[in-house]
Amino acid sequence: LGDPDAFVVIDGEIRSNSRPGNLVYVGPGGVAPSWKDFSLELKVKCQDRSNSGIWLHIPDPITILSRKVSAFEVNIDESADQTGSILGAVEMSTGAPLSSTLERGGERFGSSKSFSDSQMNQWLSMRVSSRSGLVTVWIDGRQVNQWSLPSGWAPPPEKNYLQTFQSTIGLQSMRGRGAFKDITLELL
């Protein structure tokens, strides 16, 4: 979705090319899985002050083309020291929040930990767990964030957004060069 040249595969790595785009897993036969509780493990590397991310709970990718879709993003952002922060219920096409109540004046959810420039140019091990609405992020074995959706929250009905809080995953490229490899997902 977005620029088809935003990602390229080289030597077993999925690399972003400094272009905005999304790479969404649609599964065998082009049918997106409907995952709710899972653990995702991967290695990430950021270069050139990059901003990328991991999308969680993307509704059926086909709907992205025909209506506004929300998802959750685990941020990989070298430029703003926000790697590991969680952006909840954002519109995939723009990154805009669906609700000012959730966004809280532009702040990201939870706590993010900063990493030195030298660390960001190396492979970092990342694990993301999504279980019963609780999202937890670890980097190199250290928990850096945990966030849960407020009880009973739903996208604002007047905005006609679609959010199922379960479905597939994806990768995001916003700017700079990032890379992903050794991606595994285990259902919980």
Side-chain angles (χ1 to χ4, degrees):
L1 302 168
D3 187 336
D5 295 322
F7 293 94
V8 64
V9 177
I10 299 173
D11 297 328
E13 300 172 11
I14 300 172
R15 298 181 187 173
S16 62
N17 285 326
S18 301
R19 298 175 174 182
N22 300 297
L23 184 63
V24 178
Y25 179 73
V26 292
V31 177
S34 186
W35 299 318
K36 181 176 181 181
D37 295 337
F38 58 85
S39 177
L40 175 68
E41 294 191 24
L42 68 160
K43 292 196 177 10
V44 299
K45 180 168 46 172
C46 296
Q47 300 170 334
D48 304 328
R49 308 301 289 169
S50 66
N51 179 347
S52 296
I54 302 165
W55 290 112
L56 308 176
H57 301 306
I58 305 167
D60 185 347
I62 293 171
T63 63
I64 294 171
L65 303 175
S66 61
R67 70 188 287 195
K68 294 179 179 179
V69 172
S70 67
F72 299 89
E73 180 192 355
V74 175
N75 212 353
I76 303 168
D77 188 349
E78 178 190 26
S79 63
D81 291 329
Q82 292 187 12
T83 296
S85 62
I86 300 166
L87 289 76
V90 296
E91 182 183 334
M92 285 191 62
S93 61
T94 65
L98 297 186
S99 167
S100 60
T101 303
L102 288 178
E103 184 63 12
R104 294 187 219 159
E107 294 178 309
R108 303 301 192 246
F109 299 124
S111 61
S112 63
K113 307 292 182 189
S114 63
F115 296 87
S116 70
D117 285 345
S118 63
Q119 283 179 288
M120 294 307 294
N121 288 312
Q122 302 173 33
W123 288 106
L124 301 175
S125 295
M126 182 176 275
R127 180 165 56 108
V128 179
S129 171
S130 177
R131 178 172 245 158
S132 300
L134 180 68
V135 178
T136 308
V137 180
W138 294 265
I139 298 175
D140 287 340
R142 181 171 50 108
Q143 182 178 325
V144 296
N145 206 339
Q146 188 170 66
W147 176 81
S148 62
L149 188 69
S151 178
W153 186 87
E158 72 277 5
K159 297 208 175 190
N160 193 32
Y161 285 97
L162 175 66
Q163 173 50 270
T164 60
F165 303 106
Q166 66 182 34
S167 197
T168 193
I169 61 169
L171 303 176
Q172 178 217 38
S173 172
M174 185 58 71
R175 69 173 177 273
R177 296 186 186 276
F180 306 86
K181 70 177 184 176
D182 303 336
I183 302 169
T184 61
L185 184 133
E186 176 183 2
L187 297 178
L188 302 175

